[in-house]
Amino acid sequence: GAVVSQHPSWVICKSGTSVKIECRSLDFQATTMFWYRQFPKQSLMLMATSNEGSKATYEQGVEKDKFLINHASLTLSTLTVTSAHPEDSSFYICSASLVTDTQYFGPGTRLTVL
Amino acid sequence: GENVEQHPSTLSVQEGDSAVIKCTYSDSASNYFPWYKQELGKRPQLIIDIRSNVGEKKDQRIAVTLNKTAKHFSLHITETQPEDSAVYFCAARVGGSNYKLTFGKGTLLTVNP
C-alpha cells in the first residue's frame, strides 16, 4: 500500500518551454502532497505544499509563477515548470501523505533543460 | 523555522559492523522524526520513524533513539550488509505545520564486503 507514482520519469526540453510533471497516489487518497527538488549529492529541498482544492503554499525563495502547482483531486497533483532554463535542471520528487505524518515519495522526475 | 543538522556526511564500515548516524534539530515543538534511505537515482524510502512520546523504536536491525531534552535523534544499523549502502536522510516535523518535513543533508553509508 501507499504507492506514489510520477510521470514522466525523465524529460529533456528546450530552454523557454514548459514542462508538466504529474504525481499520483495510486492506492490512497492523499490529504497533502509535497514537491521537492534535489540537486546531485544534495538533500531534499521542499518547494511547496499542496492540499486538494486549495492554493499551494510555497517555500521562501520559490517562485510561484514559475513553478505552478495544481492539486485537482485527492490522488493527483501536477507541477508545471514554466519557461524552463538550464538552471531548472534537477531531480523533482513528489510525496503524498495520509492523515498521519508519514510521507510516501514518488520515484522522481529528472528534468534536463537544454 | 526548523533546522536539522546531520552527521557524519559520509560513513564507511565493514560488513557486519554497526553504523550510527546522528541528527539534531532546533525547534522544540518538533514531534515526528522519520528516517529515509535513498539509493542512487531512486526515491527516498521510509525505513523507520519515531514520535516525540517515545524514546526508542526498533525494527529488526534498525533502531532509532530520541533525546528530546538534547534535541537529537540517532539511527542505529546493526550487522550491516552491502545492500545497506545508500544515502540516509533524517527529518523532523514541527507539530501543526501541515506535515512539512525538514531534512538533514544526508549521510552516504558505504558497507564494505
Side-chain angles (χ1 to χ4, degrees), chain A residues 44-81:
Chain A
L44 297 142
M45 297 302 298
L46 180 65
M47 299 175 67
T49 303
S50 75
N51 293 291
E52 182 260 344
S54 61
K55 290 184 179 180
T57 301
Y58 290 82
E59 293 300 299
Q60 192 172 10
V62 177
E63 300 175 59
K64 62 180 181 180
D65 294 330
K66 180 168 182 63
F67 299 99
L68 302 178
I69 292 172
N70 183 275
H71 195 153
S73 75
L74 284 172
T75 60
L76 172 65
S77 177
T78 60
L79 167 68
T80 301
V81 183

PDB file of all heavy atoms in Angstrom, chain A residues 44-81:
ATOM      1  N   LEU A  44      16.982  16.874   0.066  1.00  0.00           N
ATOM      2  CA  LEU A  44      15.676  17.232  -0.492  1.00  0.00           C
ATOM      3  C   LEU A  44      15.288  18.622  -0.008  1.00  0.00           C
ATOM      4  O   LEU A  44      15.267  18.879   1.197  1.00  0.00           O
ATOM      5  CB  LEU A  44      14.626  16.226  -0.032  1.00  0.00           C
ATOM      6  CG  LEU A  44      14.861  14.804  -0.522  1.00  0.00           C
ATOM      7  CD1 LEU A  44      14.489  13.795   0.537  1.00  0.00           C
ATOM      8  CD2 LEU A  44      14.036  14.566  -1.775  1.00  0.00           C
ATOM      9  N   MET A  45      14.976  19.489  -0.965  1.00  0.00           N
ATOM     10  CA  MET A  45      14.566  20.844  -0.614  1.00  0.00           C
ATOM     11  C   MET A  45      13.090  20.998  -0.940  1.00  0.00           C
ATOM     12  O   MET A  45      12.688  20.874  -2.098  1.00  0.00           O
ATOM     13  CB  MET A  45      15.388  21.868  -1.390  1.00  0.00           C
ATOM     14  CG  MET A  45      16.866  21.829  -1.077  1.00  0.00           C
ATOM     15  SD  MET A  45      17.237  22.087   0.673  1.00  0.00           S
ATOM     16  CE  MET A  45      16.601  23.735   0.902  1.00  0.00           C
ATOM     17  N   LEU A  46      12.292  21.269   0.072  1.00  0.00           N
ATOM     18  CA  LEU A  46      10.856  21.431  -0.149  1.00  0.00           C
ATOM     19  C   LEU A  46      10.589  22.684  -0.966  1.00  0.00           C
ATOM     20  O   LEU A  46      11.089  23.760  -0.644  1.00  0.00           O
ATOM     21  CB  LEU A  46      10.127  21.516   1.200  1.00  0.00           C
ATOM     22  CG  LEU A  46       8.615  21.687   1.146  1.00  0.00           C
ATOM     23  CD1 LEU A  46       7.957  20.454   0.534  1.00  0.00           C
ATOM     24  CD2 LEU A  46       8.052  21.937   2.537  1.00  0.00           C
ATOM     25  N   MET A  47       9.787  22.513  -2.011  1.00  0.00           N
ATOM     26  CA  MET A  47       9.411  23.659  -2.843  1.00  0.00           C
ATOM     27  C   MET A  47       8.044  24.200  -2.422  1.00  0.00           C
ATOM     28  O   MET A  47       7.858  25.404  -2.298  1.00  0.00           O
ATOM     29  CB  MET A  47       9.347  23.253  -4.314  1.00  0.00           C
ATOM     30  CG  MET A  47      10.662  22.753  -4.881  1.00  0.00           C
ATOM     31  SD  MET A  47      10.460  22.169  -6.565  1.00  0.00           S
ATOM     32  CE  MET A  47      10.065  23.678  -7.420  1.00  0.00           C
ATOM     33  N   ALA A  48       7.092  23.277  -2.241  1.00  0.00           N
ATOM     34  CA  ALA A  48       5.739  23.717  -1.935  1.00  0.00           C
ATOM     35  C   ALA A  48       4.925  22.574  -1.359  1.00  0.00           C
ATOM     36  O   ALA A  48       5.245  21.403  -1.561  1.00  0.00           O
ATOM     37  CB  ALA A  48       5.053  24.257  -3.184  1.00  0.00           C
ATOM     38  N   THR A  49       3.887  22.951  -0.653  1.00  0.00           N
ATOM     39  CA  THR A  49       2.935  22.017  -0.071  1.00  0.00           C
ATOM     40  C   THR A  49       1.580  22.286  -0.691  1.00  0.00           C
ATOM     41  O   THR A  49       1.160  23.455  -0.790  1.00  0.00           O
ATOM     42  CB  THR A  49       2.846  22.232   1.447  1.00  0.00           C
ATOM     43  OG1 THR A  49       4.147  22.083   2.023  1.00  0.00           O
ATOM     44  CG2 THR A  49       1.887  21.240   2.094  1.00  0.00           C
ATOM     45  N   SER A  50       0.913  21.238  -1.124  1.00  0.00           N
ATOM     46  CA  SER A  50      -0.406  21.470  -1.726  1.00  0.00           C
ATOM     47  C   SER A  50      -1.467  20.587  -1.103  1.00  0.00           C
ATOM     48  O   SER A  50      -1.222  19.425  -0.788  1.00  0.00           O
ATOM     49  CB  SER A  50      -0.348  21.250  -3.239  1.00  0.00           C
ATOM     50  OG  SER A  50      -0.300  19.887  -3.569  1.00  0.00           O
ATOM     51  N   ASN A  51      -2.618  21.170  -0.918  1.00  0.00           N
ATOM     52  CA  ASN A  51      -3.790  20.460  -0.433  1.00  0.00           C
ATOM     53  C   ASN A  51      -4.859  20.505  -1.513  1.00  0.00           C
ATOM     54  O   ASN A  51      -4.990  21.503  -2.218  1.00  0.00           O
ATOM     55  CB  ASN A  51      -4.324  21.107   0.847  1.00  0.00           C
ATOM     56  CG  ASN A  51      -3.368  20.940   2.001  1.00  0.00           C
ATOM     57  OD1 ASN A  51      -3.162  19.839   2.499  1.00  0.00           O
ATOM     58  ND2 ASN A  51      -2.754  22.017   2.421  1.00  0.00           N
ATOM     59  N   GLU A  52      -5.591  19.422  -1.619  1.00  0.00           N
ATOM     60  CA  GLU A  52      -6.602  19.309  -2.656  1.00  0.00           C
ATOM     61  C   GLU A  52      -7.585  20.464  -2.576  1.00  0.00           C
ATOM     62  O   GLU A  52      -8.121  20.765  -1.505  1.00  0.00           O
ATOM     63  CB  GLU A  52      -7.322  17.968  -2.530  1.00  0.00           C
ATOM     64  CG  GLU A  52      -8.372  17.723  -3.598  1.00  0.00           C
ATOM     65  CD  GLU A  52      -9.773  18.011  -3.103  1.00  0.00           C
ATOM     66  OE1 GLU A  52      -9.983  18.102  -1.890  1.00  0.00           O
ATOM     67  OE2 GLU A  52     -10.673  18.157  -3.956  1.00  0.00           O
ATOM     68  N   GLY A  53      -7.789  21.122  -3.721  1.00  0.00           N
ATOM     69  CA  GLY A  53      -8.794  22.169  -3.819  1.00  0.00           C
ATOM     70  C   GLY A  53      -8.362  23.526  -3.302  1.00  0.00           C
ATOM     71  O   GLY A  53      -9.156  24.467  -3.324  1.00  0.00           O
ATOM     72  N   SER A  54      -7.137  23.661  -2.849  1.00  0.00           N
ATOM     73  CA  SER A  54      -6.687  24.969  -2.363  1.00  0.00           C
ATOM     74  C   SER A  54      -5.354  25.332  -2.981  1.00  0.00           C
ATOM     75  O   SER A  54      -4.682  24.497  -3.584  1.00  0.00           O
ATOM     76  CB  SER A  54      -6.598  24.974  -0.834  1.00  0.00           C
ATOM     77  OG  SER A  54      -5.664  24.019  -0.396  1.00  0.00           O
ATOM     78  N   LYS A  55      -4.982  26.580  -2.820  1.00  0.00           N
ATOM     79  CA  LYS A  55      -3.721  27.041  -3.405  1.00  0.00           C
ATOM     80  C   LYS A  55      -2.542  26.433  -2.663  1.00  0.00           C
ATOM     81  O   LYS A  55      -2.587  26.225  -1.451  1.00  0.00           O
ATOM     82  CB  LYS A  55      -3.640  28.564  -3.334  1.00  0.00           C
ATOM     83  CG  LYS A  55      -4.604  29.283  -4.267  1.00  0.00           C
ATOM     84  CD  LYS A  55      -4.380  30.789  -4.211  1.00  0.00           C
ATOM     85  CE  LYS A  55      -5.319  31.500  -5.166  1.00  0.00           C
ATOM     86  NZ  LYS A  55      -5.127  32.975  -5.135  1.00  0.00           N
ATOM     87  N   ALA A  56      -1.488  26.219  -3.408  1.00  0.00           N
ATOM     88  CA  ALA A  56      -0.281  25.654  -2.810  1.00  0.00           C
ATOM     89  C   ALA A  56       0.419  26.691  -1.938  1.00  0.00           C
ATOM     90  O   ALA A  56       0.325  27.898  -2.178  1.00  0.00           O
ATOM     91  CB  ALA A  56       0.661  25.171  -3.907  1.00  0.00           C
ATOM     92  N   THR A  57       1.117  26.197  -0.945  1.00  0.00           N
ATOM     93  CA  THR A  57       1.935  27.054  -0.089  1.00  0.00           C
ATOM     94  C   THR A  57       3.383  26.873  -0.489  1.00  0.00           C
ATOM     95  O   THR A  57       3.918  25.766  -0.384  1.00  0.00           O
ATOM     96  CB  THR A  57       1.761  26.669   1.391  1.00  0.00           C
ATOM     97  OG1 THR A  57       0.385  26.793   1.741  1.00  0.00           O
ATOM     98  CG2 THR A  57       2.603  27.584   2.278  1.00  0.00           C
ATOM     99  N   TYR A  58       4.002  27.931  -0.954  1.00  0.00           N
ATOM    100  CA  TYR A  58       5.364  27.855  -1.466  1.00  0.00           C
ATOM    101  C   TYR A  58       6.374  28.212  -0.378  1.00  0.00           C
ATOM    102  O   TYR A  58       6.121  29.072   0.467  1.00  0.00           O
ATOM    103  CB  TYR A  58       5.534  28.804  -2.655  1.00  0.00           C
ATOM    104  CG  TYR A  58       4.793  28.349  -3.892  1.00  0.00           C
ATOM    105  CD1 TYR A  58       3.427  28.601  -4.050  1.00  0.00           C
ATOM    106  CD2 TYR A  58       5.444  27.657  -4.903  1.00  0.00           C
ATOM    107  CE1 TYR A  58       2.745  28.164  -5.160  1.00  0.00           C
ATOM    108  CE2 TYR A  58       4.770  27.235  -6.035  1.00  0.00           C
ATOM    109  CZ  TYR A  58       3.423  27.483  -6.152  1.00  0.00           C
ATOM    110  OH  TYR A  58       2.747  27.060  -7.272  1.00  0.00           O
ATOM    111  N   GLU A  59       7.502  27.564  -0.443  1.00  0.00           N
ATOM    112  CA  GLU A  59       8.584  27.880   0.480  1.00  0.00           C
ATOM    113  C   GLU A  59       9.260  29.184   0.034  1.00  0.00           C
ATOM    114  O   GLU A  59       9.206  29.584  -1.139  1.00  0.00           O
ATOM    115  CB  GLU A  59       9.610  26.743   0.507  1.00  0.00           C
ATOM    116  CG  GLU A  59       9.067  25.467   1.107  1.00  0.00           C
ATOM    117  CD  GLU A  59       8.601  25.649   2.539  1.00  0.00           C
ATOM    118  OE1 GLU A  59       9.444  26.003   3.408  1.00  0.00           O
ATOM    119  OE2 GLU A  59       7.403  25.434   2.802  1.00  0.00           O
ATOM    120  N   GLN A  60       9.911  29.794   0.997  1.00  0.00           N
ATOM    121  CA  GLN A  60      10.591  31.053   0.717  1.00  0.00           C
ATOM    122  C   GLN A  60      11.623  30.861  -0.386  1.00  0.00           C
ATOM    123  O   GLN A  60      12.401  29.898  -0.365  1.00  0.00           O
ATOM    124  CB  GLN A  60      11.277  31.555   1.989  1.00  0.00           C
ATOM    125  CG  GLN A  60      11.767  32.981   1.910  1.00  0.00           C
ATOM    126  CD  GLN A  60      12.249  33.483   3.269  1.00  0.00           C
ATOM    127  OE1 GLN A  60      12.389  32.716   4.214  1.00  0.00           O
ATOM    128  NE2 GLN A  60      12.506  34.765   3.363  1.00  0.00           N
ATOM    129  N   GLY A  61      11.615  31.768  -1.345  1.00  0.00           N
ATOM    130  CA  GLY A  61      12.575  31.706  -2.432  1.00  0.00           C
ATOM    131  C   GLY A  61      12.103  30.924  -3.640  1.00  0.00           C
ATOM    132  O   GLY A  61      12.780  30.924  -4.681  1.00  0.00           O
ATOM    133  N   VAL A  62      10.971  30.258  -3.552  1.00  0.00           N
ATOM    134  CA  VAL A  62      10.437  29.506  -4.689  1.00  0.00           C
ATOM    135  C   VAL A  62       9.402  30.374  -5.404  1.00  0.00           C
ATOM    136  O   VAL A  62       8.441  30.837  -4.788  1.00  0.00           O
ATOM    137  CB  VAL A  62       9.791  28.186  -4.221  1.00  0.00           C
ATOM    138  CG1 VAL A  62       9.182  27.445  -5.409  1.00  0.00           C
ATOM    139  CG2 VAL A  62      10.814  27.321  -3.507  1.00  0.00           C
ATOM    140  N   GLU A  63       9.624  30.598  -6.700  1.00  0.00           N
ATOM    141  CA  GLU A  63       8.734  31.474  -7.460  1.00  0.00           C
ATOM    142  C   GLU A  63       7.441  30.747  -7.835  1.00  0.00           C
ATOM    143  O   GLU A  63       7.451  29.806  -8.629  1.00  0.00           O
ATOM    144  CB  GLU A  63       9.433  31.926  -8.740  1.00  0.00           C
ATOM    145  CG  GLU A  63      10.719  32.701  -8.518  1.00  0.00           C
ATOM    146  CD  GLU A  63      11.394  32.994  -9.840  1.00  0.00           C
ATOM    147  OE1 GLU A  63      10.761  33.658 -10.685  1.00  0.00           O
ATOM    148  OE2 GLU A  63      12.536  32.556 -10.048  1.00  0.00           O
ATOM    149  N   LYS A  64       6.349  31.200  -7.298  1.00  0.00           N
ATOM    150  CA  LYS A  64       5.074  30.522  -7.542  1.00  0.00           C
ATOM    151  C   LYS A  64       4.609  30.667  -8.986  1.00  0.00           C
ATOM    152  O   LYS A  64       3.869  29.816  -9.492  1.00  0.00           O
ATOM    153  CB  LYS A  64       3.998  31.027  -6.585  1.00  0.00           C
ATOM    154  CG  LYS A  64       3.671  32.495  -6.719  1.00  0.00           C
ATOM    155  CD  LYS A  64       2.587  32.883  -5.724  1.00  0.00           C
ATOM    156  CE  LYS A  64       2.228  34.353  -5.845  1.00  0.00           C
ATOM    157  NZ  LYS A  64       1.173  34.751  -4.881  1.00  0.00           N
ATOM    158  N   ASP A  65       5.022  31.742  -9.664  1.00  0.00           N
ATOM    159  CA  ASP A  65       4.621  31.916 -11.055  1.00  0.00           C
ATOM    160  C   ASP A  65       5.468  31.068 -12.003  1.00  0.00           C
ATOM    161  O   ASP A  65       5.089  30.870 -13.159  1.00  0.00           O
ATOM    162  CB  ASP A  65       4.729  33.383 -11.453  1.00  0.00           C
ATOM    163  CG  ASP A  65       3.743  34.248 -10.698  1.00  0.00           C
ATOM    164  OD1 ASP A  65       2.662  33.726 -10.337  1.00  0.00           O
ATOM    165  OD2 ASP A  65       4.051  35.422 -10.437  1.00  0.00           O
ATOM    166  N   LYS A  66       6.592  30.601 -11.516  1.00  0.00           N
ATOM    167  CA  LYS A  66       7.459  29.766 -12.344  1.00  0.00           C
ATOM    168  C   LYS A  66       7.145  28.283 -12.120  1.00  0.00           C
ATOM    169  O   LYS A  66       7.177  27.492 -13.037  1.00  0.00           O
ATOM    170  CB  LYS A  66       8.917  30.020 -12.013  1.00  0.00           C
ATOM    171  CG  LYS A  66       9.853  29.177 -12.844  1.00  0.00           C
ATOM    172  CD  LYS A  66      11.275  29.647 -12.714  1.00  0.00           C
ATOM    173  CE  LYS A  66      12.167  28.797 -13.600  1.00  0.00           C
ATOM    174  NZ  LYS A  66      11.818  28.931 -15.031  1.00  0.00           N
ATOM    175  N   PHE A  67       6.848  27.940 -10.901  1.00  0.00           N
ATOM    176  CA  PHE A  67       6.542  26.555 -10.552  1.00  0.00           C
ATOM    177  C   PHE A  67       5.064  26.482 -10.154  1.00  0.00           C
ATOM    178  O   PHE A  67       4.700  26.692  -8.996  1.00  0.00           O
ATOM    179  CB  PHE A  67       7.433  26.074  -9.408  1.00  0.00           C
ATOM    180  CG  PHE A  67       8.899  26.092  -9.735  1.00  0.00           C
ATOM    181  CD1 PHE A  67       9.719  27.134  -9.309  1.00  0.00           C
ATOM    182  CD2 PHE A  67       9.464  25.074 -10.488  1.00  0.00           C
ATOM    183  CE1 PHE A  67      11.069  27.155  -9.616  1.00  0.00           C
ATOM    184  CE2 PHE A  67      10.821  25.078 -10.795  1.00  0.00           C
ATOM    185  CZ  PHE A  67      11.625  26.121 -10.363  1.00  0.00           C
ATOM    186  N   LEU A  68       4.240  26.195 -11.166  1.00  0.00           N
ATOM    187  CA  LEU A  68       2.794  26.169 -10.950  1.00  0.00           C
ATOM    188  C   LEU A  68       2.358  24.810 -10.431  1.00  0.00           C
ATOM    189  O   LEU A  68       2.663  23.788 -11.029  1.00  0.00           O
ATOM    190  CB  LEU A  68       2.064  26.478 -12.267  1.00  0.00           C
ATOM    191  CG  LEU A  68       2.395  27.818 -12.926  1.00  0.00           C
ATOM    192  CD1 LEU A  68       1.637  27.953 -14.237  1.00  0.00           C
ATOM    193  CD2 LEU A  68       2.058  28.977 -11.996  1.00  0.00           C
ATOM    194  N   ILE A  69       1.631  24.830  -9.352  1.00  0.00           N
ATOM    195  CA  ILE A  69       1.167  23.584  -8.749  1.00  0.00           C
ATOM    196  C   ILE A  69      -0.351  23.566  -8.736  1.00  0.00           C
ATOM    197  O   ILE A  69      -0.991  24.519  -8.320  1.00  0.00           O
ATOM    198  CB  ILE A  69       1.716  23.419  -7.329  1.00  0.00           C
ATOM    199  CG1 ILE A  69       3.224  23.208  -7.388  1.00  0.00           C
ATOM    200  CG2 ILE A  69       1.036  22.257  -6.600  1.00  0.00           C
ATOM    201  CD1 ILE A  69       3.915  23.224  -6.053  1.00  0.00           C
ATOM    202  N   ASN A  70      -0.880  22.447  -9.216  1.00  0.00           N
ATOM    203  CA  ASN A  70      -2.319  22.242  -9.214  1.00  0.00           C
ATOM    204  C   ASN A  70      -2.625  20.927  -8.518  1.00  0.00           C
ATOM    205  O   ASN A  70      -2.020  19.909  -8.818  1.00  0.00           O
ATOM    206  CB  ASN A  70      -2.851  22.218 -10.654  1.00  0.00           C
ATOM    207  CG  ASN A  70      -4.362  22.078 -10.683  1.00  0.00           C
ATOM    208  OD1 ASN A  70      -4.902  20.972 -10.621  1.00  0.00           O
ATOM    209  ND2 ASN A  70      -5.043  23.192 -10.757  1.00  0.00           N
ATOM    210  N   HIS A  71      -3.556  20.965  -7.582  1.00  0.00           N
ATOM    211  CA  HIS A  71      -3.907  19.755  -6.834  1.00  0.00           C
ATOM    212  C   HIS A  71      -5.405  19.541  -7.018  1.00  0.00           C
ATOM    213  O   HIS A  71      -6.205  19.896  -6.162  1.00  0.00           O
ATOM    214  CB  HIS A  71      -3.553  19.963  -5.358  1.00  0.00           C
ATOM    215  CG  HIS A  71      -3.531  18.709  -4.558  1.00  0.00           C
ATOM    216  ND1 HIS A  71      -2.756  18.578  -3.442  1.00  0.00           N
ATOM    217  CD2 HIS A  71      -4.169  17.538  -4.704  1.00  0.00           C
ATOM    218  CE1 HIS A  71      -2.932  17.373  -2.918  1.00  0.00           C
ATOM    219  NE2 HIS A  71      -3.779  16.726  -3.678  1.00  0.00           N
ATOM    220  N   ALA A  72      -5.746  18.971  -8.165  1.00  0.00           N
ATOM    221  CA  ALA A  72      -7.137  18.916  -8.596  1.00  0.00           C
ATOM    222  C   ALA A  72      -7.966  17.877  -7.861  1.00  0.00           C
ATOM    223  O   ALA A  72      -9.185  18.000  -7.751  1.00  0.00           O
ATOM    224  CB  ALA A  72      -7.198  18.648 -10.100  1.00  0.00           C
ATOM    225  N   SER A  73      -7.315  16.838  -7.374  1.00  0.00           N
ATOM    226  CA  SER A  73      -8.056  15.784  -6.686  1.00  0.00           C
ATOM    227  C   SER A  73      -7.197  15.214  -5.571  1.00  0.00           C
ATOM    228  O   SER A  73      -6.030  15.564  -5.422  1.00  0.00           O
ATOM    229  CB  SER A  73      -8.430  14.673  -7.666  1.00  0.00           C
ATOM    230  OG  SER A  73      -7.294  13.879  -7.981  1.00  0.00           O
ATOM    231  N   LEU A  74      -7.778  14.316  -4.804  1.00  0.00           N
ATOM    232  CA  LEU A  74      -7.053  13.721  -3.687  1.00  0.00           C
ATOM    233  C   LEU A  74      -6.012  12.710  -4.135  1.00  0.00           C
ATOM    234  O   LEU A  74      -5.285  12.165  -3.311  1.00  0.00           O
ATOM    235  CB  LEU A  74      -8.042  13.057  -2.721  1.00  0.00           C
ATOM    236  CG  LEU A  74      -8.824  14.010  -1.826  1.00  0.00           C
ATOM    237  CD1 LEU A  74      -9.902  13.258  -1.064  1.00  0.00           C
ATOM    238  CD2 LEU A  74      -7.903  14.725  -0.848  1.00  0.00           C
ATOM    239  N   THR A  75      -5.937  12.459  -5.437  1.00  0.00           N
ATOM    240  CA  THR A  75      -4.948  11.498  -5.922  1.00  0.00           C
ATOM    241  C   THR A  75      -4.007  12.076  -6.972  1.00  0.00           C
ATOM    242  O   THR A  75      -3.139  11.368  -7.477  1.00  0.00           O
ATOM    243  CB  THR A  75      -5.641  10.251  -6.526  1.00  0.00           C
ATOM    244  OG1 THR A  75      -6.467  10.675  -7.618  1.00  0.00           O
ATOM    245  CG2 THR A  75      -6.474   9.524  -5.481  1.00  0.00           C
ATOM    246  N   LEU A  76      -4.160  13.344  -7.313  1.00  0.00           N
ATOM    247  CA  LEU A  76      -3.338  13.909  -8.385  1.00  0.00           C
ATOM    248  C   LEU A  76      -2.898  15.329  -8.068  1.00  0.00           C
ATOM    249  O   LEU A  76      -3.706  16.194  -7.736  1.00  0.00           O
ATOM    250  CB  LEU A  76      -4.113  13.902  -9.701  1.00  0.00           C
ATOM    251  CG  LEU A  76      -3.456  14.631 -10.881  1.00  0.00           C
ATOM    252  CD1 LEU A  76      -2.156  13.932 -11.279  1.00  0.00           C
ATOM    253  CD2 LEU A  76      -4.418  14.682 -12.072  1.00  0.00           C
ATOM    254  N   SER A  77      -1.604  15.553  -8.195  1.00  0.00           N
ATOM    255  CA  SER A  77      -1.047  16.896  -8.128  1.00  0.00           C
ATOM    256  C   SER A  77      -0.100  17.063  -9.308  1.00  0.00           C
ATOM    257  O   SER A  77       0.567  16.105  -9.706  1.00  0.00           O
ATOM    258  CB  SER A  77      -0.287  17.116  -6.822  1.00  0.00           C
ATOM    259  OG  SER A  77       0.316  18.403  -6.784  1.00  0.00           O
ATOM    260  N   THR A  78      -0.072  18.250  -9.887  1.00  0.00           N
ATOM    261  CA  THR A  78       0.838  18.493 -11.005  1.00  0.00           C
ATOM    262  C   THR A  78       1.728  19.690 -10.702  1.00  0.00           C
ATOM    263  O   THR A  78       1.312  20.649 -10.050  1.00  0.00           O
ATOM    264  CB  THR A  78       0.073  18.750 -12.318  1.00  0.00           C
ATOM    265  OG1 THR A  78      -0.759  19.898 -12.159  1.00  0.00           O
ATOM    266  CG2 THR A  78      -0.763  17.547 -12.712  1.00  0.00           C
ATOM    267  N   LEU A  79       2.957  19.581 -11.195  1.00  0.00           N
ATOM    268  CA  LEU A  79       3.923  20.678 -11.108  1.00  0.00           C
ATOM    269  C   LEU A  79       4.287  21.059 -12.535  1.00  0.00           C
ATOM    270  O   LEU A  79       4.720  20.204 -13.309  1.00  0.00           O
ATOM    271  CB  LEU A  79       5.168  20.230 -10.353  1.00  0.00           C
ATOM    272  CG  LEU A  79       6.390  21.151 -10.433  1.00  0.00           C
ATOM    273  CD1 LEU A  79       6.126  22.460  -9.702  1.00  0.00           C
ATOM    274  CD2 LEU A  79       7.634  20.470  -9.851  1.00  0.00           C
ATOM    275  N   THR A  80       4.096  22.322 -12.880  1.00  0.00           N
ATOM    276  CA  THR A  80       4.480  22.807 -14.198  1.00  0.00           C
ATOM    277  C   THR A  80       5.624  23.788 -14.037  1.00  0.00           C
ATOM    278  O   THR A  80       5.480  24.797 -13.329  1.00  0.00           O
ATOM    279  CB  THR A  80       3.298  23.491 -14.916  1.00  0.00           C
ATOM    280  OG1 THR A  80       2.217  22.557 -15.045  1.00  0.00           O
ATOM    281  CG2 THR A  80       3.718  23.964 -16.297  1.00  0.00           C
ATOM    282  N   VAL A  81       6.734  23.463 -14.675  1.00  0.00           N
ATOM    283  CA  VAL A  81       7.876  24.367 -14.695  1.00  0.00           C
ATOM    284  C   VAL A  81       7.712  25.230 -15.939  1.00  0.00           C
ATOM    285  O   VAL A  81       7.806  24.726 -17.065  1.00  0.00           O
ATOM    286  CB  VAL A  81       9.207  23.597 -14.734  1.00  0.00           C
ATOM    287  CG1 VAL A  81      10.384  24.574 -14.669  1.00  0.00           C
ATOM    288  CG2 VAL A  81       9.283  22.593 -13.586  1.00  0.00           C
TER     289      VAL A  81
END
